[in-house]
Each structure stands twice: as C-alpha cells, then as structure tokens.
Amino acid sequence: MFDTILIANRGEIACRVIRTAQRLGIRTVAVYSDADADSLHVKLADEAHHIGPAPARESYLIADRILEVAKRSGACAVHPGYGFLSENAAFAEACAQAGIVFIGPPCAAIRAMGSKSAAKEIMGAAGVPLVPGYHGKEQGADFLQAEADRIGFPLLIKASAGGGGKGMRVVTRSSEFTEALAGARREAMSGFGDDHVLLERYLTKPRHIEIQVFADSHGTALHIFERDCSIQRRHQKVIEESPAFGMTPVLRQKMGEAAVAAARAIGYVGAGTVEFLLDEDGSFYFMEMNTRLQVEHPVTEMISGLDLVEWQLRVASGEAMPCSQEQLAISGHAIEARIYAEDPARDFLPSIGRLRHLRTPDENAHVRIDSGVRQGDEVSINYDPMIAKLIVWDSDRTAAIRRMRKALAEFQVVGVTTNTGFLGNVVAHPAFSAGEIDTGFIDRHRAGLFPESAPASDRILALAALDLMLIRSAEAECRAQTSHDPYSPWHQTCGWRLNSDNYHHLHFIDEDQVVTVTAHYRPSGFLLELPGGSLLVCGERDEAGDLLADLAGIRIKATVVWNGAVLTVLDQGKSHQLTIHNPHAVGEQDEAAAGRLTAPMPGKIVALMVESGVRVERGTPLLIMEAMKMEHTICAPCDGNVAEFHYPAGAVVNEGAELLDFTAEVTPSLP
Ligand code: MV4
C-alpha cells in the first residue's frame, strides 16, 4: 500500500478520498488554487500545496504542476477524483512516466472510451448489446439516408465525438433526415471540431441504468450491481439510487455480465462505470463507459457495505480484489440527492455567495453527507456549485424515500438559493414512489416539481415576529443592566407601561409587499395580530440558537437566521426570507444600505453613474453591476456624498467588496 497519496482534486471528492486514506493510515497531500486556500480539503489533508489561480485551467488542470507537487511531497500515487484530470489519458501516461501510480485505469483504457463510435465498435465486437444503428466511418449524406431508412424512425443522430447531448437530433420521419443531419453536423463541428455522426434507433422512454465495475491487475473483474440515474436535468444527474426499481435478478445478471465483458474488452483495472439505456421492453444497450469513480458511487457503497475508494487504493497498489462476485450482495436501498447552490425558479442558474448558515441532518447508519464546504465558505463562480451529496439508506425503497424527505427538510442553507425544495418535490412525487422513472421524468412532471413562492404564512410571520421580539427584549434587558437604575420601572422588559396596552408594530418586507404584525405584550408572551387573525405566542432560544416557539399551544422548533435587516425563517424544510422595514426611521433603508454599498455577489462593474465627490439624493443610481447575467443597480441609501469609487468600470469584484466610500448626511438608525 502507498505511504503517501496526492489528491488532484478539490471539494467533496477530495475530502471523500482523504477520509478513506486517513482510515487506512495513508498520508495525504492536497493541492489548492487561490480560491481554495481555506477550503475543507486543504484543512483535512496532512499537507497542501498551492498550484495556481482560481480558474481550473490555471490550477487543477495543469498536469505538470500537479506531478511536480507529487514528486516534491513524496507522493507515490495520485487520485484524480472525478472531473478535472480524471479521464485525461495524457495525464495518466505522464504519471506512469514519472514513476507515480495513477489511481485509475491504464491510459489505453481511458483512450479507448474517449470516442463514442470507437467505444461502440469495441463493445459490439465484445458482444455488448448496442442500440440498433450505424456507427461506421462512411459519412456520405445519401449513404446515411439509406442507413436511416434501414434502421427506421424515430431515429437519433449523435455526434461521434459528442457527449452530454450536444450534437443530438431526433428525426421522426425519413423526409426530415437531410435537414437534421446538417444541423447535427454543424453542432458537432462547432462543439467538438469533428462532424462525424452515428445513427441509432431512438428509444422514446429509456432509463439510465449504469453498472459499477471493478477489476484488479490479476485478471479478476466483477460488478457491484446497478444504479438508476434516470432523474436528470439537461444531462446532469439529480437523483441516483441503487438497486434500480423493478430490477430482476435475471436482468441484473445479464447487465452485470455485459458490463464486466465491456471492462475486460479494454483491459480495465480499477473502478469504472458502464452506462446502459434500458428500454421499456427490458432490452438494454451500451451507452458509454466512465473510466473513473463516479459522483454517485456512495449509493453503491451504502447497499454493498464496501468502501470503493479503499478498493481503488488496494487495486492500484497491486493487491488482488478482496472478494469475489458471489460474495457480493445487495442490502437494502440507497438514494442520493445532489444539493446544489442553484435557483430552480431561474432555470437552475448557479446561486453564488457565502454560506451564511449551513446545518445538515445528523449522520448515522441511515444518513450520509459528502460535502466539501462548511458554514462561512463561499460558493464561487470558479467551480461546480454543488454543496453536498445527501445519501440515505434503509431496508427498502419506500423507507429510503421517507428518510430522504426528512433529511432534505432538515438540510438548512442560508446565503445562497438551493435546490432542496425541488429535490424534496421530486422524491415526494407519486410517480417517483411508483417507480415511474425514466429520462423524461423532470420534463413530464415539471409543473409539480418547482417550489412555488407564496406569501409568508401566519406561521412564518409569527416565528419571525416572536424572534424579533425576543431579540428586542434581550437588548432591553441588556440596557437595563448597564443603566444606573436597573430597578426603574422604565427598564422593565415585560412590556408593562402605565395606563396603556403596550404594543409594537413590526413591519416586514415579504417579496415586495410590506406586511405588518402587531405584537401586544401579555404576561405569558405576546399576542400577535397577523394577517389571518390573532395568535398568542411565547418562546425562547435554545443553546443551539434555535427558536423554541409556542404558537397557541403548538410547540415548534424553528431556526431564524439574521443577516443585517434580512431574516430567514427555516421551518419544516421550507425557507422564507423577510426584511425588517422601519417606515419611521429617517432614511428607512439605512441599515440595509450599509450592506448595499458592498457588492451583493461576485460580478463585474458595468458603469459608474455619478462622479466622485458629488452630493446625491437618496435613491440616486451610483453604479451598475452585472452578476449571473443580471444587472444590479446600487443606489444611494440616503442623501449623502460619494467620496470615492474603489473600482473603475469593467473591474471584477468579489462578493462583499466595498464598492465606494459614501458619507451619509443623516445618522443611520436601526430598526
Ligand atoms: C439515446 C436516447 C434515446 N435513444 N440514445 C443522452 C446523452 C448521451 N450520453 C446519450 N443520451 C441519450 N441517448 C438512443 N438511441 C436518449 C438519451 C437521453 C438520455 C440518456 C441518459 C440519461 C438522460 C438522457 C436524457 C435525454 C436523452
């Protein structure tokens, strides 16, 4: 076994590999970019080396620099994770030449699977089933038209060099073929610089079923069952599970044997995945082979009880596989959901920013979380915005779905928008429970999957109002204790006043609406006047900072996270954001304004709207930023002076960067 390994990756997969290495007593060396200096994977590793600027092509993708670090740090092997250099045959080769073990397959195996049509040719020859079609060299339009008519319609044109659905065209009848061929070729040429295409019968409702394979350097190759990865969005996997719904032992054996034959056909060693399309009639066809550890490998680990990274390390160091096919068995059911910083309501646009609050469900035999970030970390534009993989296990699929729903509801993120609501809707969908899953699932059920934004409910408003009143009471208590006369009735914090019902109007901005909640002091707590009626509430904060609320006798534990004047109420898996609005303050937006003169997210300064040194009135546009394809106008929070802009137009700034010096003419007052 290796003494030291280098992990040529970042984020959750780097952390995942480090964890197993540590368990096996192996020293770990991490690499990091400027953006990752304080990342979790750097902290977990025994040693970490800086390899360049934030963009991956200037750091994590520079093979030479990573090999240099391997040599310098005494690493005898490199684990590439997934993405980056994991399927780069030249890197695998360079490792071998440097006398460093590439923890992955031989470079020839990576190369063999690099081209779609070449891979199909190898697999066809090895007896692995292929979708009926044409994947030869002859590319004349008339020839292809004749092949298309032979194959029949609907038909799919795919770019030979393609991947991820680029250069794909569905053709429903013969007369449309010529035009579709031209389109597919154009797309293939611009996308891959190669306009070779292949033709296949088009499966209208296929499932994506992949088989985990493993081979050692002593001639043993086996499979560790299947994963169903049919729930995808734009060729990105969203939910993965193992075993696949409705999979029979006979079909599993047939697909497993085909996958092992595929691995043997290319002299495979290590962990690999053979992807198949499974048709409604039970036929299955080779799609492609991934020559690396996959993002979704944890579901296989959960049902098999194995540590695939441990197997990778053992096999790469020359050991034989620790068990045989017959010794492997499936136990229970596992589901993985990929939690992303993205906004389903904005076509899943990445949502970048700081993870101001991150709390995950407890990990145990049923719940596993693979993550590379902590609370306070930044989700940046530089890398994939995945926050975590949430994996659940239970004795059967129904129980696993229940676990997933609960764990998703407990997954709290404030600071970026996430897809947890969307994921919750997918796994709660009756069609998902019924196993009616294929690659069209998300499109078909679109209408029922997007979390709709509703105005804050009375329950949310009550929790927000209660939390705010508790904070005010605590502040009042603090003031009383530091005053000269702490026993003065004017310092009592119970809200008692001579001759009058004492109350506060609390104004919240919800979306664009101002909602007012009136809180009356009562001996036992507060009587809240909410849009839907009155509610007697009381509560306290526990040691963890959670709000323990009693809403008219119903006890609830919720979380309220504050960021300046913005509060987020997290309750029962739902997250609702409100802003405190103080209509009586001079320059009502001052409090929030202090924050608005900083960049709300990383982005580019498009234009400066006023000169430095001028006096402006409240609301005057000061500068325009562009981030995430949207423009944001930064306005004067109150009347005042623009002393100086800190950046010129065109500058790229980080989230939180001070954009300008602004001197307010009135002292900001807190709400
Ligand atoms: C197909 C297909 C239907 N029929 N091939 C999409 C990406 C590429 N790797 C293979 N893909 C497909 N090939 C035939 N003959 C449907 C897809 C497909 C798909 C496959 C797996 C997972 C998600 C998908 C989403 C859309 C289309």
Side-chain angles (χ1 to χ4, degrees), residues 156 158 200-203 208 232 235 277 287-288 439:
L156 189 63
K158 288 185 184 176
E200 284 180 359
R201 206 182 82 218
Y202 178 61
L203 312 181
H208 172 127
Q232 301 196 5
H235 306 289
L277 289 171
M287 192 161 37
E288 55 191 80
T439 57

Side-chain angles (χ1 to χ4, degrees), residues 460-473:
I460 294 293
L461 290 169
L463 292 167
L466 176 59
D467 204 67
L468 179 56
M469 291 310 292
L470 291 176
I471 288 171
R472 287 192 178 174
S473 303

Side-chain angles (χ1 to χ4, degrees), residues 116 120 131-132 155-156 158 162-166 168 170 199-209 229-237 275-277 285 287-288 438-440 443:
K116 278 268 155 68
K120 286 200 168 144
V131 185
L155 173 121
L156 189 63
K158 288 185 184 176
K166 249 185 241 157
M168 283 197 351
V170 180
L199 311 178
E200 284 180 359
R201 206 182 82 218
Y202 178 61
L203 312 181
T204 52
K205 231 181 161 188
R207 289 169 72 184
H208 172 127
I209 305 285
C229 309
S230 299
I231 311 278
Q232 301 196 5
R233 215 201 109 260
R234 299 221 186 125
H235 306 289
Q236 295 288 320
K237 291 167 187 161
E275 297 183 342
F276 293 102
L277 289 171
Y285 308 101
M287 192 161 37
E288 55 191 80
D438 58 77
T439 57
D443 278 336

Side-chain angles (χ1 to χ4, degrees), residues 20 67 101 108 167 212 410 575 652 654:
T20 288
L67 276 172
V101 177
Q212 176 70 55
E410 289 171 2
S575 162
V652 175
N654 281 325

